[in-house]
Amino acid sequence: SVDTTSIRATLFPGDGIGPEIAESVKKVFKEADVHIDWDEHYVGTEIDPRTQSFLTWESLESVRRNKIGLKGPMATPIGKGHRSLNLTLRKELNLYANVRPCYSLPGYKTRYDNVDLVTIRENTEGEYSGLEHQVVRGVVESLKIITRQASLRVAEYAFHYAKAHGRERVSAIHKANIMQKTDGLFLKCCREVAEKYPEIKYEEVVIDNCCMMLVKNPALFDVLVMPNLYGDIISDLCAGLIGGLGLTPSCNIGEGGIALAEAVHGSAPDIAGKNMANPTALLLSAVTMLRHLELHDKADRIQDAILKTIAEGKYRTADLGGSSTTTDFTQAICDHL
Ligand code: NAD
């Protein structure tokens, strides 16, 4: 087995339930003998002028240096003059791809039993470029930016991911019949990359048809790659197929090999501090972090223990219809290790 003593990773426990579920990750990692040296960073209480945000420059430097991190939910303080925390991370660390594996959890019944897909969302441009203005009174305009560079980068990542994870097919999701220039360029870039991966099947699916197919039979899909807005919507739709945001992990991939894993849910202020939060999404995000580090044995062991605990049904948190506390559920996972 690999000696992991030297791995240093940044940890943002985050706000609300964040510290409780981060504690759960630390406990499970310890039990599984994963020696990560956590470099912990909290969101500041004052704006750092170097980042124009409550996230300090030192926190960002920590991720740049370690190249690997785990992030709990962050509640962006309301008020003017600062950037959203998630936006700061995305822009400053150039987190260009958001990867969300989505698979049915055995024993946790939803409408589908056979979901096993991955959405890969372009995370830096498209409809979320933030370029909106008023043309004249009553008429506003929003610019959807698609560049060859960002499209090639996310397509490359999608095919690289498919190959590295033994996946068979990549579907590019688009609306190029209407958005001919923007989605047209996105598709052109996907096709170019697809040619370099003849062993991976490539297809193009129009977004509306994709939604219909996903809710009818999610098993039709494998890896999906798409521009920002479509990715935002489709990735949540996929989370819904397997039981919701409390269960789905994600990982953000940035320039220079940075990977920042995060749970997709928010800080859940309604249950914060009550030992009620479900740590599954953050735990499974931590598993994607281990996979990024190629510690697949450890990742498999932890993932199995989480899935077994949920399947067994004896210890489940309230969001999954149970009455266990975060600590009891975490202990049950440790017992399965
Ligand atoms: P939320 O995801 O925090 O909560 C929605 C509902 O889901 C709540 O009822 C909550 O109790 C429940 N929930 C969420 N995660 C859960 C978990 N792990 N276990 C059990 N129940 C869980 O969404 P919200 O209330 O809209 O947002 C709260 C705050 O979180 C806001 O400040 C928002 O900006 C922030 N937020 C941050 C992120 C992020 O950091 N990535 C994402 C979404 C929202």
Side-chain angles (χ1 to χ4, degrees), residues 17 71 73-76 86 262-271 277-278 319:
I17 59 171
K71 173 189 165 292
M74 292 177 178
T76 290
N86 290 316
E262 69 168 326
V264 283
H265 59 72
S267 59
D270 50 336
I271 56 165
N278 183 355
D319 57 309

